[in-house]
Amino acid sequence: MNDNNAKTHYDVIVIGGGATGAGTARDCAMRGLKTLLVERFDFTAGATGRNHGLLHSGARYAVTDQESATECIKENMILRRIARHCVEDTGGLFITLPEDDLAYQKTFIESCLKAGINAEAIDPRDAMRIEPAVNPDIIGAVKVPDGAIDPFRLTVANVVAARQNGADVLTYHQVIDFEREGNRLTGVKLRDTRTGEEHTEHADLMINAGGIWGHNIASLAGITINMFPAKGALLIFGHRVNNVVINRCRKPADADILVPGDTISLIGTTSSRVPYDQIDNMEVTPEEVDVLLREGIKIAPSLAYTRILRAYAGVRPLVAADNDPSGRSISRGIVCLDHAVRDGIEGFITITGGKLMTYRLMAEWATDMAMRKLGKEGACTTAEVPLPGSKLDNSYGKEQEFTHHHAHTISLPVGQKAAEDRHGTLSSQIEFNSLEDEAVVCECEQVSVGEIKYAIDHLQVGNLINLRRRTRLGMGTCQGELCACRAAGLLVKANNCAERTLRDLSSFINERWKGMCLVSWGETLVEGQFMSWLYEGVCGIDKIALPEDVIDTK
């Protein structure tokens, strides 16, 4: 969907459709700035959509990075208030295994309390009662306020809020250059990544929120940001092994967090430096799979015989100090750069570093700087105003009606209940007026026809990968084996082009296979073989796709 009017002059153009960019667009729009958000692919196509979905309490960083720990616990509590439909309050455990140093637990608890994190030592037997999946050999356990958060829902909710406050949004538009007058940037030159068409949008200020890709965006303006890509690999298991987040109580290391999320559990992450020219093609190695599985079994032994659905990797946007281009002093903190001060380039700022957990704070910092540079006044209210889907006050009419209407409902069709869980109070906009609307398209994630129609009409869905990110279609046990074909049938009606939809279907199946191939043994291998037979042997999809159609497969 293109909400943009090419003749509009904007106060700010936000570049990057991850959580930070979406959050920044929301904050800017809420403070009255005329805002355009641009993203070269789809929302959450980068690091935002490739993490473990942990609602950090900050405890993981308490010993090594007090500032980050304090930021995390504050944002943790804020997100529980403003993003209720994106958050699951699972609670968290930090466990000590026999091979770990039990003395570290005391240092850990003291550091947590100093950062404002409620950390409580409990008897290991109590930990096993709280979370039966945990390794019974543990010798120590600490309770912390960790949880799970859906980064896809969170980001889209911020985009919806930005649009509700007047922002324009352009997906599948890549910044290929900047317009400038002297030492001031005055606009961006955009290329539609689907059609190749180019046009220019103008603004008083450009905000670079491209994450690790922000390095290249800055280079278009002749600016160098010392970014160092750090790959993190993860594994997704076929069902919820645990219901409480389990962490190793030690300094951060590979494969020391097991996070439950929706219908699955994730183990992660690894950390390895990768060349910058590889960040668009992240692939997990067999060695990383081995490490994740080997270390994961130590946390929860049942992982040894639990089916692995897929492996995937994301890239952390680490930033080195300007006075240390070698990268020896890499920070994981928030970095907000005024390029007028740093580089003599007016009309341009960069917000990067940080974590998913601190996206809202990063957006606040960036918007504060934007307001100062534009000479405008307006306080940040993003920590108080709930996101769409979590609003409860009467000023939002239909959402409030939904809450009251279903307060006394005994039961709902499974697809309707799943949609309510995913979209919160916004699910009141989903129409279930017929048996067709209630029909389930994706059994694994209980995605209905009505929910898919809603996503197409209201959440900027133009292909199956967009649809997966909005509804979880294809993210369950079968990895799109049957539901992808059904959903493609609904997309044909929306985009009115059968050939394009068939190529999209092929691209989607290839994207699913990319994550499955490294863990293809047992049931996953059987599933992959059946999927190949179904889509290649029966449907002939492999003969339809063109290389240029396989885009945005992150």
Side-chain angles (χ1 to χ4, degrees):
M1 180 182 290
N2 185 339
D3 291 336
N4 176 251
N5 180 341
K7 297 180 180 179
T8 300
H9 183 94
Y10 294 95
D11 293 316
V12 294
I13 295 176
V14 181
I15 306 166
T20 302
T24 302
R26 175 199 180 211
D27 199 342
C28 287
M30 286 176 66
R31 296 202 219 183
L33 299 181
K34 183 60 181 173
T35 304
L36 171 64
L37 173 65
V38 297
E39 160 59 40
R40 67 170 181 159
F41 289 133
D42 183 30
F43 310 124
T44 71
T48 296
R50 308 187 73 79
N51 57 69
H52 43 37
L54 175 63
L55 185 76
H56 269 293
S57 63
R60 177 173 165 81
Y61 306 110
V63 175
T64 58
D65 188 345
Q66 274 278 305
E67 183 178 2
S68 290
T70 302
E71 290 172 351
C72 277
I73 189 60
K74 289 179 179 177
E75 293 302 307
N76 177 305
M77 296 302 151
I78 289 170
L79 289 176
R80 289 171 188 268
R81 295 195 306 270
I82 70 166
R84 287 183 297 275
H85 74 294
C86 306
V87 170
E88 184 181 354
D89 184 12
T90 64
L93 291 171
F94 273 75
I95 62 167
T96 304
L97 296 175
E99 64 194 75
D100 300 327
D101 180 9
L102 185 58
Y104 183 81
Q105 181 177 283
K106 182 175 183 294
T107 302
F108 172 76
I109 293 174
E110 290 174 349
S111 300
C112 283
L113 295 176
K114 185 178 178 182
I117 303 163
N118 184 18
E120 175 192 359
I122 62 174
D123 189 290
R125 289 171 295 183
D126 290 333
M128 284 183 271
R129 281 191 284 271
I130 293 170
E131 180 45 74
V134 75
N135 190 330
D137 295 333
I138 58 174
I139 58 175
V142 180
K143 285 179 63 178
V144 298
D146 279 341
I149 188 163
D150 189 308
F152 302 101
R153 295 176 206 167
L154 181 68
T155 303
V156 170
N158 276 272
V159 172
V160 171
R163 293 178 63 197
Q164 287 179 348
N165 284 277
D168 290 334
V169 178
L170 281 173
T171 52
Y172 295 95
H173 279 74
Q174 182 175 4
V175 175
I176 57 174
D177 204 353
F178 288 102
E179 293 282 302
R180 65 183 73 210
E181 293 177 2
N183 67 339
R184 175 177 291 277
L185 302 188
T186 60
V188 293
K189 186 175 183 180
L190 301 172
R191 176 185 294 135
D192 188 318
T193 56
R194 296 159 300 186
T195 67
E197 294 179 0
E198 298 179 0
H199 70 276
T200 300
E201 301 292 345
H202 293 92
D204 295 322
L205 182 67
M206 268 50 68
I207 301 178
N208 175 10
I212 194 64
W213 292 269
H215 168 99
N216 188 52
I217 293 167
S219 71
L220 296 173
I223 292 169
T224 299
I225 301 176
N226 296 314
M227 303 198 76
F228 290 81
K231 181 178 77 167
L234 304 96
L235 297 179
I236 300 177
F237 292 88
H239 65 270
R240 280 180 72 125
V241 174
N242 54 318
N243 285 310
V244 175
V245 176
I246 310 175
N247 305 259
R248 289 281 290 273
C249 193
R250 61 182 184 183
K251 289 184 178 180
D254 286 347
D256 54 2
I257 308 176
L258 183 64
V259 183
D262 286 285
T263 59
I264 52 86
S265 289
L266 304 91
I267 186 73
T269 61
T270 60
S271 183
S272 59
R273 188 76 55 79
V274 293
Y276 192 84
D277 60 7
Q278 291 183 16
I279 62 174
D280 280 320
N281 298 288
M282 280 292 94
E283 293 186 1
V284 180
T285 67
E287 292 75 20
E288 287 168 328
V289 172
D290 289 344
V291 168
L292 290 166
L293 190 54
R294 183 175 65 248
E295 295 299 315
I297 290 169
K298 295 177 183 178
I299 295 174
S302 63
L303 295 181
Y305 49 85
T306 301
R307 177 182 169 187
I308 307 173
L309 288 186
R310 64 190 295 106
Y312 67 102
V315 187
R316 303 175 184 91
L318 304 186
V319 185
D322 284 336
N323 60 0
D324 179 31
S326 68
R328 285 187 291 271
S329 301
I330 291 178
S331 168
R332 295 202 180 196
I334 300 171
V335 177
C336 192
L337 303 173
D338 182 346
H339 293 295
V341 175
R342 179 181 181 267
D343 305 287
I345 302 295
E346 296 283 353
F348 190 43
I349 66 178
T350 290
I351 182 70
T352 190
K355 295 162 286 295
L356 174 65
M357 197 68 241
T358 57
Y359 91 92
R360 191 212 61 83
L361 182 61
M362 295 171 70
E364 181 177 341
W365 285 21
T367 309
D368 283 347
M369 182 178 288
M371 296 293 281
R372 290 194 301 270
K373 292 183 71 63
L374 295 171
K376 296 181 180 291
E377 295 183 357
C380 177
T381 59
T382 58
E384 290 80 42
V385 178
L387 287 163
S390 291
K391 291 181 174 22
L392 294 176
D393 65 296
N394 285 319
S395 63
Y396 290 90
K398 197 173 182 181
E399 293 188 20
Q400 182 68 10
E401 291 172 18
F402 177 85
T403 302
H404 287 308
H405 174 72
H406 290 290
H408 306 292
T409 300
I410 296 174
S411 63
L412 293 170
V414 289
Q416 196 168 341
K417 179 63 172 67
E420 181 182 340
D421 291 340
R422 276 189 284 270
H423 303 285
T425 51
L426 282 177
S427 60
S428 63
Q429 299 177 14
I430 301 176
E431 296 183 358
F432 291 100
N433 297 326
S434 65
L435 290 176
E436 178 189 353
D437 290 338
E438 294 181 3
V440 173
V441 176
C442 174
E443 289 93 343
C444 299
E445 299 293 335
Q446 296 298 306
V447 183
S448 66
V449 171
E451 184 178 356
I452 289 175
K453 289 179 178 178
Y454 166 74
I456 292 171
D457 292 340
H458 299 285
L459 301 180
Q460 293 182 253
V461 165
N463 59 47
L464 289 167
I465 292 177
N466 300 161
L467 192 59
R468 171 178 65 81
R469 292 176 179 139
R470 309 297 189 273
T471 68
R472 292 188 60 82
L473 178 136
M475 294 177 77
T477 306
C478 84
Q479 291 289 287
E481 182 180 285
L482 298 176
C483 59
C485 192
R486 297 168 183 160
L490 294 171
L491 278 169
V492 166
K493 296 179 182 178
N495 61 35
N496 202 29
C497 181
E499 183 180 355
R500 183 177 123 200
T501 302
L502 284 170
R503 295 202 303 267
D504 175 40
L505 176 60
S506 180
S507 177
F508 183 82
I509 296 301
N510 281 333
E511 184 266 347
R512 294 289 84 192
W513 175 244
K514 180 181 176 182
M516 295 169 66
C517 62
L518 267 173
V519 293
S520 281
W521 58 79
E523 292 178 344
T524 301
L525 179 58
V526 173
E527 202 86 56
Q529 288 175 324
F530 180 76
M531 190 181 295
S532 174
W533 171 81
L534 180 67
Y535 284 102
E536 294 183 4
V538 177
C539 300
I541 290 295
D542 57 318
K543 299 177 178 64
I544 295 172
L546 302 173
E548 59 267 27
D549 294 317
V550 185
I551 62 170
D552 189 24
T553 56
K554 312 297 180 295

